[in-house]
């Protein structure tokens, strides 16, 4: 009976897979993964149509029968368990734990008369529609859904700054087919500050803009989104303001305004092109014309999806015994190739951090923004450096353009401004990561880089600063009586200063590098030798640890940034060897780290933080790899494989927390490949691969990395040995980007062979 039940479950998984992927085109994936979850367990990923790293993320914004606000579970607009589509909007954050964007809302409706239309407009979400997941088709670059209320099939695709809609109406000739444009729409409640819309009936064109202040963008005064919408034809039009329809009028303004057009009653289908710009209405028109050439919907969808196929084909994974891992891996690829956000527009123009219009440098393919640096430095940027160094260089050049235009290294830039979100100055680590792997190009101005690093480490800045650097340097830690996040900040700055030391050393500034390496040891100043925890210390030198074991487990303890004492107990990625020493040795360190993971398995939910290992937050992501420094690589392999199989799933809540611009997805990619980056260095740490064979075509096929995993199986999670190009890897359990993963002048391939076992191998290295 058990075997029969398991077979039924297998068929259910296969049917789910078949129903959600494109037959014969894309590898197995499911883009509903990451669209569910509750509270802190919601990945907050948008669903819809987007090109690679595109500015436009066009998709449905949803709600449930209780009309829940965007502030809960749906920061990116969509939540899997909702049953209404409110509208389709064109810009979204990508997996962030805070809401912003959500501009230019459009929805097709069918109504009996103008009174019906008036009633829709005058009621909040009066025009929203029910929908069912069985009518959704979700592929990279394409989204389709059927609106039950309005009897209309909606199809969406998108270029970098243009959303393309195709609506197919059911045959109700007595009904009016209307397209609503909410020019004042934004996802954050009350974000709109000003909006206007204008109808040009001669050219069948609607233009407008919205100036808004979202929960991030309000930090720097707000953003203006401009748009141009082109139709093929219409029979009637009008605007609305404050819930009142004005038939035949062509202009409206204010934060409750929009436009509508009526289509011919015999028109079964319409295609709409929506150009977006952060520069001007004219630039939105240029984007629309250059990026689509007003080609057919199918044509645009075809070449956008081909771009996705070409990019995804650079990775191939195979594990016939583990189909769910393939689905999760390919889905994570799409998520990691969706962000950060391309910021330059057609002809290379973009809005700079100085508020001026610039043209991107010729050596850059794109300028990028929405750099969630506190998150992406750990996994997402190393992922890009591994497979697409050109794009990684463009991201670093984008950071340095912010320095040039704004005068500071950014902490968390959105659009063209600083948000001052999160802690640390982790752009230091991104710069170190690229430079230490020797993947930086000749256009990186090292003089500018060095000066920017010196400023962020030693000078209090107007924007995105560390805690007052002179005071930090005076004490050798952040005093708790000056900032309650004392321990978290000190740990972060120690890691950052180590990265700065790396860059200084690479530049040949050995003495200056040593100064920063010395500062990178200051994590010891907030370590309590009695409890073996990192705790805040005040300016008198007193250390203030949580008083009881229960206090060590308080989620969002006021003494720590987004965490508790356990979450920060092991956060010394750059010098775990020294951390092992101050714990008292490898045995005790491994025991306590193992406790951290074992106890976390009993936590019943991802909705609220796990008081032990919290897979859904960034400062824990490196912890599973730290067993290597205590001669217990087997425990890294054990816990890493468990996390892959149990914390990440194929369900809508299958990502354990905010994806944060690809951070969690890139963690899954690396961990399932069997090696993981120590961000800021050229070092990777060996894990337990999830696949039998892996191929990565790096840097446009310049170097092909093949990983062959022998005797892999669900129970064979331990690594017996690793071969590099047929020879024993001498640095196991560590592998180096430069010495091991780079192709030589004599060969365009690198091969790693993993030999797996069901029993651990101790002290192999």
């Amino acid at each position: 009976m058990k075997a029969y039940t398991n077979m039924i479950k297998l068929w259910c998984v296969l049917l789910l897979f078949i129903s959600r992927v494109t037959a014969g085109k894309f590898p197995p994936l499911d883009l509903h993964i990451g669209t569910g979850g509750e509270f802190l367990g919601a990945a907050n990923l948008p669903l819809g149509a987007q090109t690679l790293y595109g500015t436009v993320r066009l998709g449905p914004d949803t709600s449930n029968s209780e009309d829940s606000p965007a502030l809960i579970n749906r920061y990116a607009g969509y939540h899997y368990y909702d049953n209404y589509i409110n509208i389709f909007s064109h810009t979204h954050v990508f997996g962030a734990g805070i809401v912003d964007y959500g501009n230019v809302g459009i929805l097709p409706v069918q109504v009996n008369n103008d009174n019906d239309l008036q009633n829709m407009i005058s009621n909040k979400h009066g025009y929203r529609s029910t929908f069912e997941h069985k009518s959704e088709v979700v592929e990279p670059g394409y989204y389709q859904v059927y609106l039950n209320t309005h009897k209309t099939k909606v199809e969406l695709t998108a270029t970098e700054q243009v959303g393309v809609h195709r609506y197919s109406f059911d045959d109700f000739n007595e009904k009016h087919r209307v397209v609503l444009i909410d020019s004042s729409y934004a996802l954050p409640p009350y974000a709109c500050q000003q909006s206007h819309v204008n109808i040009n009936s001669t050219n069948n064109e609607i233009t407008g803009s919205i100036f808004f202040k979202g929960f991030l963008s309000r930090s720097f005064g707000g953003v203006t989104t401009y748009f141009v919408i082109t139709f093929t034809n219409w029979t009637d039009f009008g605007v609305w303001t404050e819930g009142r329809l004005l038939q035949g009028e062509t202009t409206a303004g204010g934060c409750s305004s929009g436009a509508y057009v009526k289509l011919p009653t015999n028109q079964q289908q319409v295609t709409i092109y929506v150009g977006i710009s952060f520069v001007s209405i004219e630039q939105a028109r240029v984007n629309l014309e250059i990026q689509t050439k007003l080609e057919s919907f199918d044509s645009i969808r075809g070449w956008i999806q081909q771009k996705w196929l070409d990019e995804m084909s650079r990775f191939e994974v195979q594990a016939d015994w583990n189909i769910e891992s393939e689905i999760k891996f390919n889905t994570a690829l799409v998520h990691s190739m969706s962000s950060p956000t391309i910021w330059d527009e057609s002809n290379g123009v973009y809005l700079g951090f100085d508020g001026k219009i610039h043209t991107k440098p010729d050596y850059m393919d794109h300028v990028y923004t929405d750099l969630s640096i506190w998150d992406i430095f750990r996994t997402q940027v190393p992922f890009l450096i591994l497979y697409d160094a050109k794009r990684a260089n463009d991201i670093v050049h984008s950071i340095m353009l912010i320095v040039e235009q704004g005068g500071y290294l950014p902490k968390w830039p959105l659009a063209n401004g600083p948000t001052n979100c999160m802690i640390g100055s982790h752009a230091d680590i991104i710069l170190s990561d690229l430079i230490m792997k020797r993947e930086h190009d000749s256009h990186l101005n090292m003089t500018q880089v060095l000066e920017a690093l010196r400023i962020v480490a030693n000078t209090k800045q107007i924007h995105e600063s560390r805690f007052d650097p002179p005071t930090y340097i005076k004490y050798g830690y952040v005093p708790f009586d000056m900032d309650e996040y004392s321990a978290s900040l000190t740990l972060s700055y120690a890691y950052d200063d180590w990265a700065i030391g790396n860059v200084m050393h690479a530049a040949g500034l050995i003495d200056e590098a040593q100064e920063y390496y010395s500062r990178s040891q200051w994590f010891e100043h907030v370590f309590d030798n009695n409890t073996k925890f990192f705790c805040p210390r005040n300016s008198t030198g007193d250390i203030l640890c949580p008083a009881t074991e229960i206090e060590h487990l308080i989620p969002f303890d006021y003494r720590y940034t987004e965490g508790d004492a356990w979450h920060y107990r092991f956060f010394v990625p750059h010098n775990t060897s020294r951390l092992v020493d101050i714990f008292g040795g490898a045995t005790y360190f491994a025991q306590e780290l193992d406790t951290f993971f074992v106890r976390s398995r009993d936590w019943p939910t991802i909705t609220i933080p796990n008081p032990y290992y919290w897979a859904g937050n960034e400062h824990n992501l490196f912890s599973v790899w730290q067993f290597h420094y205590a001669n217990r690589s087997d425990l890294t392999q054990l816990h890493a494989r468990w996390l892959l199989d149990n914390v990440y799933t194929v369900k809508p809540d299958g990502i354990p927390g905010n994806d944060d611009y690809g951070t969690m997805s890139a963690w899954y990619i690396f961990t399932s490949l069997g090696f993981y980056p120590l961000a800021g260095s050229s070092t990777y740490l060996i894990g337990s691969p999830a696949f039998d064979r892996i191929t990565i075509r790096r840097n446009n096929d310049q170097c092909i990395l093949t990983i062959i995993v022998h005797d892999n199986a669900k129970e064979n999670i331990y690594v017996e040995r690793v071969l590099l190009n047929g020879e024993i890897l001498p640095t196991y359990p560590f592998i180096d980007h430069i010495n091991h993963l780079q192709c030589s002048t004599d060969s365009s391939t690198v091969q790693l062979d993993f030999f797996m076992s069901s029993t651990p191998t101790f002290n192999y290295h």
Side-chain angles (χ1 to χ4, degrees):
M1 184 68 182
K2 184 177 180 180
Y4 176 78
T5 302
N6 288 338
M7 182 62 71
I8 293 295
K9 288 181 178 179
L10 176 61
W11 275 110
C12 288
V13 169
L14 290 174
L15 287 171
L16 174 68
F17 158 62
I18 292 168
S19 69
R20 289 190 178 175
V21 302
T22 311
K25 289 182 66 177
F26 289 100
L29 55 87
D30 183 351
L31 293 177
H32 282 103
I33 296 172
T35 63
E38 301 294 328
F39 193 39
L40 297 174
N44 287 314
L45 286 167
L47 195 70
Q50 179 190 357
T51 191
L52 295 155
Y53 308 94
T55 310
V56 165
R57 298 183 176 103
L58 169 57
D61 297 342
T62 63
S63 61
N64 59 29
S65 56
E66 285 78 39
D67 193 23
S68 295
L71 296 180
I72 305 296
N73 301 332
R74 49 187 69 79
Y75 296 133
Y78 183 96
H79 193 255
Y80 184 83
Y81 297 108
D82 287 343
N83 47 22
Y84 287 95
I85 289 176
N86 297 337
I87 207 161
F88 299 97
S89 69
H90 292 72
T91 56
H92 294 94
V93 295
F94 196 86
I98 197 165
V99 64
D100 215 299
Y101 293 130
N103 302 140
V104 193
I106 299 183
L107 193 76
V109 302
Q110 297 202 66
V111 296
N112 293 311
N113 50 50
D114 286 349
N115 286 334
D116 285 351
L117 188 59
Q118 175 64 67
N119 289 334
M120 285 183 178
I121 295 299
S122 59
N123 293 301
K124 183 180 179 182
H125 300 321
Y127 40 76
R128 68 182 183 176
S129 174
T130 59
F131 76 105
E132 300 171 30
H133 293 304
K134 67 182 181 181
S135 76
E136 288 183 302
V137 178
V138 193
E139 303 165 4
Y142 175 76
Y143 176 81
Q144 175 185 306
V145 70
Y146 183 78
L147 301 180
N148 296 331
T149 303
H150 303 303
K151 309 300 180 185
T152 303
K153 181 174 77 172
V154 173
E155 298 173 273
L156 308 173
T157 191
T159 68
E160 284 82 358
Q161 279 97 22
V162 183
V164 187
H165 306 232
R166 182 164 66 185
Y167 307 144
S168 300
F169 301 95
D170 284 5
D171 188 10
F172 294 107
N173 286 329
E174 73 278 6
K175 285 186 177 284
H176 297 288
R177 286 144 188 191
V178 181
V179 179
L180 300 174
I181 298 99
D182 189 341
S183 56
S184 60
Y185 181 77
L187 269 171
Y190 317 113
C192 175
Q193 304 297 301
Q194 185 53 261
S195 175
H196 84 275
V197 65
N198 181 74
I199 300 174
N200 186 327
S201 58
T202 303
N203 296 332
N204 288 336
E205 182 182 83
I206 298 175
T207 60
S209 67
I210 175 175
F211 172 59
F212 67 98
K213 295 181 180 180
F215 281 36
L216 287 168
S217 53
R218 66 186 179 188
S219 300
F220 55 90
V223 182
T224 299
T225 303
Y226 303 92
F227 63 88
V228 172
I229 305 173
T230 297
F231 289 76
T232 50
N233 64 324
W234 61 53
T235 59
D236 199 0
F237 58 85
V239 297
W240 79 79
T241 181
E242 299 297 337
R244 185 166 61 93
L245 284 180
L246 301 171
Q247 184 177 1
E249 295 291 324
T250 59
T251 61
C255 283
S256 179
S257 62
Y260 69 92
V261 297
K262 292 182 181 178
L263 305 175
T265 55
N266 61 352
Q267 186 170 335
Q268 294 296 112
Q269 192 175 83
V270 63
T271 300
I272 302 169
Y273 304 84
V274 183
I276 297 293
S277 174
F278 293 93
V279 171
S280 66
I281 288 176
E282 180 54 38
Q283 182 62 39
R285 187 178 291 110
V286 170
N287 293 339
L288 191 157
E289 293 170 353
I290 289 179
Q291 293 180 25
T292 71
K293 299 180 176 60
L294 296 180
E295 292 183 16
S296 70
F297 181 94
D298 289 330
S299 174
I300 296 169
R301 172 191 174 185
W303 47 262
I304 291 298
Q305 293 203 289
Q306 189 60 52
K307 286 173 67 175
W308 275 107
L309 282 165
D310 291 345
E311 195 82 352
M312 294 182 69
S313 70
R314 293 164 71 168
F315 291 81
E316 294 178 25
V317 297
Q318 180 183 343
D320 294 337
W321 56 277
N322 200 357
I323 183 64
E324 283 196 6
S325 287
E326 290 192 44
I327 295 172
K328 290 184 287 187
F329 182 88
N330 291 315
T331 304
L333 273 185
V334 175
H335 294 156
S336 292
M337 293 173 175
S338 297
S339 64
T341 303
I342 289 173
W343 187 238
D344 63 291
E345 306 182 19
S346 296
N347 297 325
V349 302
Y350 68 97
L351 180 63
F353 270 63
D354 53 6
K356 299 176 182 178
I357 307 303
H358 297 265
T359 302
K360 72 173 179 63
D362 290 339
Y363 57 81
M364 295 176 67
D365 290 339
H366 291 292
V367 176
Y368 290 88
T369 190
D370 299 348
L371 298 170
S372 180
I373 290 176
W374 188 77
D375 311 284
I376 65 174
F377 87 84
R378 306 162 202 263
T379 57
Q380 173 70 348
V381 172
F383 166 71
L384 290 171
I385 293 172
L386 175 69
Y387 99 94
D388 189 354
K390 178 63 175 73
R391 200 178 301 273
N393 270 278
D394 278 359
I395 289 170
V396 167
H397 290 312
S398 300
I399 289 172
M400 298 315 296
L401 286 173
I402 293 172
V403 173
E404 187 177 303
Q405 296 162 10
Y408 54 87
L409 272 173
K411 184 187 293 184
W412 205 125
L414 182 97
N416 72 312
T419 67
N420 203 37
C421 188
M422 300 311 298
I423 64 172
S425 60
H426 298 325
D428 309 337
I429 300 172
I430 290 177
L431 289 164
S432 177
D433 207 62
L434 189 69
I435 291 167
M436 293 302 290
K437 288 170 180 166
R438 298 181 192 169
E439 293 283 3
H440 57 296
D441 62 30
S442 60
H443 300 287
L444 186 62
N445 185 330
M446 286 300 294
T447 300
Q448 183 191 35
V449 167
L450 294 169
E451 186 59 22
L453 293 172
R454 292 183 184 111
I455 290 172
V456 78
N458 300 293
T459 306
K460 189 170 180 63
Q461 301 169 259
I462 297 174
H463 298 294
E464 309 251 84
S465 180
R466 293 187 183 191
F467 167 84
D468 184 46
T471 302
Y472 173 66
I473 294 167
K474 172 184 174 182
Y475 288 96
Y477 59 91
V478 175
F480 178 68
D481 42 347
M482 300 181 191
D483 194 306
E484 66 183 8
Y485 293 146
S486 164
S488 303
L489 289 168
T490 303
L491 292 170
S492 296
Y493 298 156
Y495 191 2
D496 293 332
D497 283 340
W498 169 80
I500 294 175
N502 288 341
V503 177
M504 296 294 176
H505 194 278
L509 303 173
I510 307 304
D511 291 342
E512 192 171 1
Q514 189 55 51
E515 293 177 19
Y516 289 100
Y517 286 144
S518 296
R519 285 167 56 164
S520 76
Q521 298 289 104
W522 289 356
F523 63 86
E524 295 188 44
H525 296 170
V526 291
F527 186 75
D528 179 53
N529 285 306
N530 295 320
T531 63
K532 307 300 182 186
F533 281 87
F534 290 104
C535 304
R537 184 184 293 274
N538 65 25
S539 58
T540 63
D542 295 328
I543 198 158
L544 306 168
C545 284
T548 65
E549 177 59 22
I550 294 298
E551 254 195 284
H552 283 82
L553 301 170
I554 297 173
F556 288 97
D557 187 324
Y558 70 95
R559 287 165 286 213
Y560 301 92
T561 303
E562 284 195 6
D564 59 31
W566 270 96
H567 294 151
Y568 280 94
R569 193 179 187 193
F570 307 99
F571 188 68
V572 188
H574 64 289
N575 201 346
T576 305
S577 295
R578 178 57 185 158
L579 184 62
V580 171
D581 291 341
I582 63 178
F583 258 76
T587 301
Y588 181 68
F589 178 85
Q591 173 187 313
E592 292 298 285
L593 188 57
D594 188 47
T595 297
F596 187 46
F597 284 93
V598 170
R599 290 183 181 175
S600 73
R601 296 188 185 186
D602 295 329
W603 193 246
T605 178
I606 61 173
T607 300
I608 56 176
N610 193 313
Y612 292 98
Y613 176 78
W614 181 8
N617 215 350
E618 277 68 13
H619 42 278
N620 284 180
L621 295 185
F622 190 71
S623 299
V624 74
W625 308 95
Q626 292 178 286
F627 289 106
H628 288 313
Y629 299 93
N631 300 322
R632 290 303 304 270
S633 297
D634 60 302
L635 292 177
T636 286
Q637 295 152 15
L638 171 69
H639 292 299
R641 184 70 79 88
W642 188 90
L643 291 168
L644 287 176
D645 292 341
N646 294 277
V647 173
Y648 288 79
T649 74
V650 294
K651 298 178 181 178
D653 63 353
I655 298 173
N658 304 153
D659 197 42
D660 286 318
Y661 284 85
T663 299
M664 297 298 167
S665 292
W667 186 94
Y668 184 88
I669 290 170
F670 271 122
T671 305
S672 59
L673 292 177
F675 61 95
Y676 186 87
L678 170 55
S681 77
S682 63
T683 298
Y684 299 92
L685 300 94
I686 296 292
S688 179
F691 305 106
D692 301 335
R693 186 180 182 91
I694 302 159
T695 303
I696 306 172
R697 295 177 174 84
R698 301 183 56 225
N699 298 330
N700 291 320
D701 291 350
Q702 292 178 14
C703 182
I704 299 175
L705 171 62
T706 301
I707 302 171
I708 299 174
V709 187
H710 304 267
D711 301 318
N712 205 9
K714 191 173 184 65
E715 65 276 9
N716 291 353
I717 62 174
Y718 298 106
V719 179
E720 285 188 341
R721 64 188 186 279
V722 177
L723 304 184
L724 172 66
N725 295 328
E727 303 290 336
I728 287 287
L729 177 66
T731 57
Y732 179 91
F734 304 100
I735 190 166
D736 186 73
H737 183 91
I738 299 166
N739 297 324
H740 301 140
L741 299 186
Q742 298 285 53
C743 289
S744 68
T745 55
D746 301 324
S747 174
S748 61
T749 62
V750 173
Q751 182 167 315
L752 289 172
D753 286 84
F754 285 73
F755 292 84
M756 308 300 290
S757 171
S758 61
T759 57
T761 301
F762 296 102
N763 298 320
Y764 171 73
H765 55 93

